[in-house]
Amino acid sequence: MSTQTIDTAPDSVKNPPFADRLRAHVAIMRLDHSIKNIFVLPGIIVPLSVLRTPLLTPSLVRNIVVGFVATTLIACSNYVLNEVLDAPFDRLHPTKKSRPAAQGLVIVPLAYVQWILMMAAGIVLRLQSRRSLPIPLPHSGLWVLLQYPPFRTKDKVYLDVLSESVNNPLRLLLGWFMVTSVLIPPLSLLLSYWMVGCYLMALKRFSEYREIGDTTVAGSYRRSFQYYSEVSLLASVMFYASSSMLFLGAFIIRYRIELIFGFPLVALLMATYFRLAFQPNSSVQNPEKLYREPVLMAETVLMTGLMIVLLYVDIPMMKRLFPATLQ
């Protein structure tokens, strides 16, 4: 399927120069998307705050550096596969039609080799750590399963958001096991992280749908758009936001009550992100460009700093302020 897709590329790119081919194969790795690895950080910070482990031991630093390199390799390999498989759909999108694979600049068999080699390198590197658990392997298998028919959940309403956002808790787990394989991350934290990812992804879908403006074009580009509307997408955003905060509240009450002081900044950050989704050509559609949003970045830094402080600073009076009154 993919080879035929590339063969139908415009005549102007039937026989591109070697340099253009090379640039295309570098571009489909989407190295600029590596900024998304920031979602690994909470998985590192939370167990460190529990273990009270020294932050700069050589072993820990090595583990984290190797872990980030491995995670980047795995993520970029998945982008290679995604680029090739999405090429026929990207050609129907007003801006994504300029992607290298959609333009016919990618040699498909070589792209599959590129995907496999990067994935293997990432898995081998990740498993070098003594603390590591074999998360990359199911991660990779899940990604392949979700890309190919008949599973291809990217085409199915609501499942597209839920399945793609599984990357969020997987990133948290990858960070967590860079630090320890003894502590097990709480289910409430993983569910909250998953629902936050769904919130971000649903707003991306909303922004894309709104930007395209034509339901027929939107549906031909992404099949799930045939069943969405702006109203249903916003309703799902509310569900994901509420669920993420419910699970985060459960984690905070059960494990670290001090974090409740960070709730207002979390809510403010989510509101700012929500507002950005309504802007034309919004950065929400391209999360790797969110660093260009100064207000969002300032709120993110402030919230992150406060959460780290609250993870490490004990406030004994919190248990008196929030007693269990129904026992």
Side-chain angles (χ1 to χ4, degrees):
M1 178 187 71
S2 300
T3 304
Q4 292 174 349
T5 295
I6 297 300
D7 289 341
T8 60
D11 291 338
S12 59
V13 291
K14 280 286 188 179
N15 296 295
F18 173 77
D20 289 347
R21 293 276 198 191
L22 182 60
R23 280 193 292 270
H25 278 270
V26 172
I28 63 175
M29 293 189 293
R30 302 183 194 173
L31 291 169
D32 56 332
H33 286 237
S34 298
I35 192 173
K36 294 177 185 177
N37 286 338
I38 194 172
F39 286 101
V40 172
L41 290 178
I44 296 173
I45 295 169
V46 173
L48 282 178
S49 70
V50 175
L51 296 169
R52 303 293 165 137
T53 305
L55 294 180
L56 296 177
T57 63
S59 174
L60 183 59
V61 171
R62 175 190 173 278
N63 227 37
I64 291 174
V65 170
V66 169
F68 266 100
V69 173
T71 301
T72 299
L73 282 169
I74 293 169
C76 289
S77 73
N78 284 334
Y79 287 133
V80 170
L81 178 65
N82 183 79
E83 180 95 12
V84 172
L85 296 179
D86 277 359
F89 306 102
D90 287 343
R91 292 196 185 101
L92 302 174
H93 191 276
T95 57
K96 293 182 180 180
K97 63 184 179 182
S98 61
R99 284 179 169 176
Q103 288 187 314
L105 295 172
V106 171
I107 302 172
V108 174
L110 182 59
Y112 280 121
V113 172
Q114 183 179 358
W115 161 55
I116 292 171
L117 289 178
M118 292 178 67
M119 179 68 69
I123 291 174
V124 169
L125 191 60
R126 186 70 181 90
L127 295 178
Q128 295 302 308
S129 168
R130 288 177 301 162
R131 295 188 179 95
S132 179
L133 293 183
I135 295 171
L137 204 54
H139 182 188
S140 309
L142 177 66
W143 184 273
V144 175
L145 187 68
L146 299 182
Q147 294 290 327
Y148 278 101
F151 304 100
R152 194 170 168 82
T153 57
K154 291 176 70 171
D155 293 337
K156 296 175 173 60
V157 65
Y158 300 119
L159 281 178
D160 59 340
V161 169
L162 288 166
S163 60
E164 289 195 55
S165 300
V166 169
N167 278 319
N168 239 36
L170 284 173
R171 284 190 176 104
L172 187 142
L173 287 170
L174 287 167
W176 192 283
F177 292 115
M178 290 179 197
V179 175
T180 178
S181 58
V182 177
L183 288 179
I184 302 300
L187 182 60
S188 56
L189 180 60
L190 290 172
L191 289 172
S192 176
Y193 220 53
W194 183 22
M195 289 296 104
V196 165
C198 290
Y199 169 80
L200 301 176
M201 182 61 69
L203 278 176
K204 179 181 179 181
R205 292 283 185 270
F206 169 78
S207 186
E208 285 178 333
Y209 187 89
R210 181 181 172 89
E211 185 80 19
I212 294 173
D214 186 317
T215 55
T216 302
V217 174
S220 61
Y221 157 64
R222 190 181 295 280
R223 291 180 187 175
S224 61
F225 279 164
Q226 296 174 7
Y227 308 98
Y228 280 129
S229 66
E230 289 190 22
V231 173
S232 65
L233 280 165
L234 287 180
S236 70
V237 167
M238 287 297 297
F239 172 82
Y240 300 134
S242 301
S243 298
S244 67
M245 292 301 98
L246 172 67
F247 290 122
L248 179 60
F251 169 75
I252 288 175
I253 295 298
R254 176 68 178 83
Y255 295 100
R256 188 68 184 172
I257 188 65
E258 285 83 358
L259 290 175
I260 202 167
F261 285 120
F263 250 102
L265 282 178
V266 174
L268 177 63
L269 184 62
M270 294 179 73
T272 300
Y273 196 87
F274 184 87
R275 179 173 53 82
L276 285 175
F278 288 83
Q279 294 182 356
N281 194 26
S282 171
S283 298
V284 169
Q285 296 180 43
N286 302 284
E288 69 279 5
K289 297 179 181 179
L290 285 171
Y291 68 89
R292 300 177 183 176
E293 303 293 340
V295 174
L296 186 75
M297 289 298 99
E299 291 173 357
T300 301
V301 170
L302 187 60
M303 183 205 70
T304 302
L306 178 61
M307 287 297 197
I308 291 174
V309 169
L310 293 172
L311 279 169
Y312 280 89
V313 176
D314 297 323
I315 307 176
M317 67 176 291
M318 293 297 293
K319 292 180 181 178
R320 295 196 299 271
L321 289 174
F322 296 94
T325 58
L326 297 180
Q327 292 182 349

